C-alpha cells in the first residue's frame, strides 16, 4: 500500500472500509475522531437520506479540531492545516484565556463607558444593537503565535502547532467611534482601559487614536452570536492588533490620560530587545504567511500536481504579494492571492506545483502595502536578539523528502 | 444625569476638543448613567500613579503567612513556580547590576524584581486575578501584605517593611526605565 497521509487515510478509510481499518491503522487519529460511529457504506442514491436537523454537524470523517484542550490559563490552536478558504469556522477559532471561559448571560451583561467622558453610560447588549451595525472581516492573532516553533522546533510540528494562534472571521458590531461620540470624549483623554468580565478581569490600555480609527465592539462572528470562548456577549475588536488587546467579555471602557500599566502590558506582551530595553505597547502584528498544504503530517502519495496553498495577513493593511519558494529560498515565484483587497484579514495564496519526486524545501513570504516583507528568523534574531518575545513572524519552511514525507524545517 | 446638565457638557466637550460631539438629536440615546455605587464596585484599577490605591497596609511578615496559605500550592513555597506550566515563577534573585539581559537570553525569569516596570501592577493584578481559584477574595490589607512579601523576596522591598498606598506609589523598580515605544512601523526595514 502506498503511504498515505493521515488525512487521506481518514477520508479513504471512511469511504471504503469504515471505521475498523481506521482504528486498526492510526490510533492517534482515532483519539481525535468525533465520537459518532462512522456509518457503514451505503449507496446514497438508493434510499432517502437523513431528515432535517436544528443544527448541522461536520461530515463524518472530516476531522478538524482545536488542540490542546483543557487549559484554563492556556490556549487551543486552530487546525490551519485542516481548513481551506479564509474564514475560520467560529467553533475552531483559537482560544487563549488567562482564567477560563466565564459563563455570562446576555441579560446580565453590561458595558460601562466612563472616566474622561461627558456622559458616562451603562449599555446593555440590546442597547448596543440600537447603534448602526458594521460588518467587517478581520484576523485575530495572538502575539505569542509561533513561539513554540521559534524556541523549540520539532520536525513533526503541523501548521496548527506552528501558527494556529490566528483565525479570521466576519465580525458584526458597532464602531467604538460611534460610542465615543455618544458619550463625548473629554479633553485630556488619550487612553482607555478595556476590561473583561472574566475571572482575571483582564485589562489592557488602548490608545484613543485606535478606538477612533477602526476599533469595534462586536457581538457576532460569522453571522451568529459570539461563542462564549470568543467573548460572548461582547468583545473589543482592534483590527490588526495583537489578540490579547482584543478584550473578550468586555464589560468596561474607562477613558483616561495615561496607560494603566496592567500586567498584560508590562510583565507580558512586551518585547525585549538585545540592547537592554523592551518594547511596550507593541500592538501591531507584522506581515506573516504560512503554507498550510501540502504540509506535515501529509505524506505525498504520488508525483505530479500538488498545489501549494496557505494564508497570509498583515496587521498594517493589505497583503500585496506572496512569494513561494520550493528550493529553500533560492528562487521565489509570485503566488496568486485571493481576497487581497481585505486589509487586516487573512488572504489565501496558491501556487501550482508539480512534485517530481525529489527533495524540496517549501517556503512562503508575504509583503504588505507598507512595503514590509516577512523576514527570515536569522534577520529577526539579528535585529532583536535571541530573547525576542512575541511577534514571531519568520518565514516558515517545510521539507519534502523523496519519500513524500513532509516535515517542519524550522523558521528559515 | 439630567438632560440639561448633559447638554451643557456637550458644549463644554465641543469647546474643549473641537471634535464633533453628537448633539442630543444625533445621539442614539440608549443606556443610562452608572451610579456612583456601581462605579465604586467596577472601577478598582490601580495605575502607576497609585492615586486609586485603597486604604490599609500589610507587612512582609503577614504576607509570608498569606502566601504560604493561599499561593504556595501553585507558585511554590518560595515563589519558584512550576516550569513548563502556567504556574508562574514569581520570585528570582536580582540580576547583578540590575542589567536587563532578556533580549539576548530568553531563559531569564521575568519577575517583578527583574523585569516589571511598576510595583502598582502587582497589587492591581493580584486584586484582579489571584488567588486563581478565588480571585478578588483577599482583603486590601492582605493584598498589601502579600504584595509586600513578593517584592521583598525579589529584593526590591525591605524584609521588615510595611506596604501601604504611599509606599507602593513611590516604590521604584529596577527595570522602570527599560521600556521603550514600539518603533516598528511597517515599510522595508525589519525592526
Amino acid at each position: 500500500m502506498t503511504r498515505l497521509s493521515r488525512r487521506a487515510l481518514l477520508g479513504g478509510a471512511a469511504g471504503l472500509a469504515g471505521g475498523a481499518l481506521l482504528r486498526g491503522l492510526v490510533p492517534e487519529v482515532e483519539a481525535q475522531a468525533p465520537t459518532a460511529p462512522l456509518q457503514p457504506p451505503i449507496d446514497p442514491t438508493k434510499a432517502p437520506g437523513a431528515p432535517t436537523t436544528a443544527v448541522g454537524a461536520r461530515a463524518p470523517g472530516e476531522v478538524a479540531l482545536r488542540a490542546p484542550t483543557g487549559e484554563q490559563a492556556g490556549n487551543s490552536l486552530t487546525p490551519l492545516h485542516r481548513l481551506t478558504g479564509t474564514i475560520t469556522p467560529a467553533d475552531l477559532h483559537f482560544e487563549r484565556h488567562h482564567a477560563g471561559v466565564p459563563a455570562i448571560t446576555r441579560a446580565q451583561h453590561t458595558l460601562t463607558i466612563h472616566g474622561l467622558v461627558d456622559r458616562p453610560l451603562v449599555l446593555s447588549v440590546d442597547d448596543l444593537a440600537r447603534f448602526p451595525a458594521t460588518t467587517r472581516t478581520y484576523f485575530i492573532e495572538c502575539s505569542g503565535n509561533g513561539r513554540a516553533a521559534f524556541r523549540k522546533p520539532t520536525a513533526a510540528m503541523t501548521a496548527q502547532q506552528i501558527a494556529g494562534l490566528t483565525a479570521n472571521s466576519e465580525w458584526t458590531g458597532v464602531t467604538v467611534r460611534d460610542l465615543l461620540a455618544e458619550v463625548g470624549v473629554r479633553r485630556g483623554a488619550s487612553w482607555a482601559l478595556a476590561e473583561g468580565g472574566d475571572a482575571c478581569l483582564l485589562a489592557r490600555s488602548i490608545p484613543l487614536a485606535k478606538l477612533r480609527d477602526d476599533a469595534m465592539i462586536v457581538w457576532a462572528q460569522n453571522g451568529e452570536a459570539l461563542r462564549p470562548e470568543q467573548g460572548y456577549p461582547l468583545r473589543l475588536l482592534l483590527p490588526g492588533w495583537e489578540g490579547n488587546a482584543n478584550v473578550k467579555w468586555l464589560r468596561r471602557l474607562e477613558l483616561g490620560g495615561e496607560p494603566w500599566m496592567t500586567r498584560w502590558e508590562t510583565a507580558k506582551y512586551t518585547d525585549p530587545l538585545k540592547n537592554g530595553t523592551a518594547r511596550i505597547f507593541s500592538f501591531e502584528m507584522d506581515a506573516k504567511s504560512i503554507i498550510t498544504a501540502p504540509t506535515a503530517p501529509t505524506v505525498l502519495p504520488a508525483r505530479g500536481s500538488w498545489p501549494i496553498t496557505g494564508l497570509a495577513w498583515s496587521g498594517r493593511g493589505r497583503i500585496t504579494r506572496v512569494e513561494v519558494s520550493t528550493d529553500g529560498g533560492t528562487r521565489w515565484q509570485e503566488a496568486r492571492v485571493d481576497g487581497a483587497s481585505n486589509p487586516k484579514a487573512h488572504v489565501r495564496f496558491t501556487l501550482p506545483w508539480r512534485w517530481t519526486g525529489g527533495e524540496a524545501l517549501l517556503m512562503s513570504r508575504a509583503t504588505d502595502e507598507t512595503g514590509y516583507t516577512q523576514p527570515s528568523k536569522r534577520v529577526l534574531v539579528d535585529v532583536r536578539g535571541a530573547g525576542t518575545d512575541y511577534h514571531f513572524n519568520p518565514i516558515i519552511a517545510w521539507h519534502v523528502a523523496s519519500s513524500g514525507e513532509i516535515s517542519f524545517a524550522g523558521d528559515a | 444625569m439630567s438632560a440639561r446638565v448633559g447638554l451643557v457638557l456637550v458644549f463644554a466637550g465641543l469647546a474643549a476638543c473641537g471634535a464633533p460631539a453628537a448633539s442630543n438629536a444625533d445621539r442614539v440615546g440608549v443606556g443610562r448613567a452608572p451610579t456612583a455605587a456601581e462605579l465604586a464596585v467596577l472601577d478598582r484599577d490601580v495605575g502607576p500613579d497609585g492615586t486609586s490605591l485603597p486604604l490599609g497596609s500589610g507587612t512582609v511578615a503577614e504576607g509570608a503567612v498569606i502566601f504560604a496559605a493561599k499561593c504556595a500550592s501553585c507558585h511554590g513555597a518560595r515563589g519558584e513556580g512550576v516550569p513548563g506550566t502556567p504556574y508562574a515563577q514569581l520570585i528570582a534573585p536580582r540580576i547583578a547590576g540590575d542589567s536587563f539581559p532578556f533580549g539576548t537570553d530568553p531563559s531569564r525569569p521575568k519577575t517583578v524584581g527583574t523585569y516589571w516596570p511598576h510595583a502598582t501592577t502587582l497589587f492591581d493584578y493580584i486584586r484582579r486575578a489571584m488567588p486563581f481559584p478565588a480571585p478578588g477574595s483577599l482583603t486590601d490589607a492582605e493584598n498589601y501584605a502579600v504584595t509586600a512579601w513578593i517584592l521583598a523576596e525579589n529584593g526590591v522591598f525591605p524584609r521588615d517593611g510595611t506596604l501601604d498606598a504611599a509606599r507602593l506609589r513611590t516604590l521604584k523598580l529596577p527595570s522602570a526605565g527599560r521600556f521603550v515605544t514600539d518603533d516598528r512601523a511597517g515599510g522595508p526595514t525589519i525592526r
Side-chain angles (χ1 to χ4, degrees):
Chain A
M1 185 177 157
T2 354
R3 299 185 66 181
L4 290 176
S5 72
R6 282 195 220 169
R7 185 183 198 160
L9 252 184
L10 196 56
L16 296 170
L21 174 61
L22 189 65
R23 275 194 293 277
L25 278 179
V26 202
E28 70 273 32
V29 172
E30 194 207 19
Q32 283 199 346
T35 42
L38 298 175
Q39 296 301 312
I42 51 159
D43 183 343
T45 68
K46 296 293 181 263
T52 58
T53 52
V55 180
R58 299 212 158 87
E62 286 298 325
V63 181
L65 298 170
R66 291 190 295 222
T69 58
E71 307 282 333
Q72 281 177 309
N75 50 46
S76 75
L77 290 77
T78 295
L80 298 178
H81 61 311
R82 305 267 184 224
L83 303 177
T84 59
T86 56
I87 296 292
T88 313
D91 57 0
L92 295 178
H93 188 296
F94 77 88
E95 305 168 88
R96 193 339 178 187
H97 313 306
H98 287 268
V101 180
I104 301 178
T105 63
R106 181 185 169 99
Q108 125 202 29
H109 193 77
T110 56
L111 170 67
T112 301
I113 309 179
H114 70 116
L116 289 177
V117 300
D118 294 328
R119 294 169 297 278
L121 271 185
V122 181
L123 297 160
S124 66
V125 184
D126 290 342
D127 290 338
L128 281 166
R130 306 258 313 265
F131 287 79
T134 302
T135 296
R136 289 269 154 64
T137 299
Y138 292 120
F139 77 84
I140 296 183
E141 182 182 16
C142 175
S143 58
N145 196 23
R147 183 186 280 113
F150 196 88
R151 295 254 187 273
K152 288 189 200 122
T154 63
M157 278 181 159
T158 63
Q160 174 173 30
Q161 292 162 328
I162 295 163
L165 288 173
T166 186
N168 192 58
S169 307
E170 184 197 80
W171 306 96
T172 300
V174 55
T175 64
V176 180
R177 196 187 316 119
D178 281 356
L179 292 180
L180 293 177
E182 186 83 3
V183 296
V185 176
R186 287 199 176 166
R187 181 200 284 277
S190 50
W191 291 83
L193 186 75
E195 182 180 85
D198 58 347
C200 62
L201 298 176
L202 192 142
R204 289 292 305 257
S205 307
I206 312 296
L208 188 57
K210 179 66 173 179
L211 298 178
R212 283 184 158 143
D213 179 16
D214 56 0
M216 297 170 71
I217 289 171
V218 299
W219 54 80
Q221 180 182 9
N222 300 344
E224 61 174 348
L226 290 178
R227 304 262 163 161
E229 71 270 28
Q230 297 308 329
Y232 181 84
L234 296 176
R235 170 173 211 164
L236 181 64
L237 196 93
L238 303 176
W241 283 23
E242 63 185 9
N244 180 261
N246 293 252
V247 176
K248 293 174 284 191
W249 315 291
L250 185 72
R251 69 167 200 175
R252 192 161 72 90
L253 272 183
E254 178 181 0
L255 278 82
E258 302 281 346
W260 279 255
M261 299 296 183
T262 72
R263 177 254 188 171
W264 296 274
E265 59 209 22
T266 54
K268 304 286 172 196
Y269 303 102
T270 48
D271 312 27
L273 299 169
K274 63 182 183 186
N275 68 0
T277 65
R279 288 189 184 122
I280 192 166
F281 302 119
S282 47
F283 293 114
E284 281 173 314
M285 299 308 296
D286 293 313
K288 182 165 172 178
S289 69
I290 180 170
I291 294 171
T292 56
T295 59
T298 298
V299 180
L300 298 180
R303 299 169 187 203
S305 170
W306 290 97
I308 296 170
T309 180
L311 295 169
W313 61 97
S314 167
R316 292 199 166 82
R318 294 177 171 80
I319 289 294
T320 52
R321 188 169 71 238
V322 181
E323 294 157 289
V324 169
S325 175
T326 58
D327 61 4
T330 308
R331 281 176 301 122
W332 293 90
Q333 276 176 276
E334 191 157 341
R336 192 190 79 221
V337 177
D338 294 330
S341 60
N342 277 338
K344 305 177 185 180
H346 285 178
V347 298
R348 184 152 289 274
F349 63 87
T350 309
L351 183 79
W353 180 54
R354 296 193 77 78
W355 182 50
T356 53
E359 270 191 272
L361 202 50
L362 312 182
M363 299 176 172
S364 64
R365 67 176 183 208
T367 300
D368 71 15
E369 62 178 299
T370 72
Y372 177 96
T373 298
Q374 183 180 1
S376 68
K377 179 175 182 177
R378 187 185 50 73
V379 168
L380 272 186
V381 169
D382 211 44
V383 170
R384 298 182 188 165
T388 183
D389 211 1
Y390 304 99
H391 301 280
F392 303 97
N393 67 327
I395 293 170
I396 292 158
W398 299 99
H399 179 255
V400 182
S402 43
S403 64
E405 244 165 313
I406 304 184
S407 54
F408 177 44
D411 301 322
Chain B
M1 183 185 285
S2 79
R4 175 172 298 176
V5 177
L7 207 61
V8 170
L9 287 175
V10 175
F11 290 128
L14 257 178
C17 316
S23 77
N24 248 347
D26 292 339
R27 275 187 235 143
V28 174
V30 295
R32 60 173 179 82
T35 65
E38 283 172 330
L39 282 183
V41 173
L42 276 178
D43 179 7
R44 285 157 49 87
D45 40 63
V46 176
D49 65 2
T51 46
S52 46
L53 280 166
L55 295 172
S57 66
T59 65
V60 172
E62 288 158 358
V65 177
I66 296 162
F67 193 89
K70 298 188 172 177
C71 321
S73 60
C74 292
H75 291 287
R78 311 293 318 160
E80 68 276 15
V82 184
T85 74
Y87 303 128
Q89 175 167 357
L90 304 181
I91 291 158
R94 262 172 93 160
I95 300 173
D98 287 331
S99 71
F100 198 81
F102 303 96
T104 47
D105 184 358
S107 70
R108 296 276 184 159
K110 298 181 174 114
T111 69
V112 68
T114 61
Y115 190 85
W116 299 30
H118 301 284
T120 46
T121 304
L122 185 59
F123 185 95
D124 179 73
Y125 176 71
I126 295 170
R127 180 143 86 161
R128 286 177 188 280
M130 290 294 138
F132 195 80
S137 60
L138 299 187
T139 65
D140 289 334
E142 287 174 321
N143 197 344
Y144 276 119
V146 81
T147 301
W149 185 79
I150 295 170
L151 290 168
E153 289 293 307
N154 276 290
V156 292
F157 191 71
R159 283 183 192 281
D160 59 354
T162 301
L163 195 64
D164 62 7
R167 198 76 176 78
L168 189 52
R169 195 162 34 228
T170 51
L171 192 77
K172 289 274 173 286
L173 294 183
S175 297
R178 297 286 186 174
F179 290 80
V180 296
T181 325
D182 183 12
D183 60 347
R184 296 171 310 138
T189 311
I190 306 297
R191 293 198 168 91

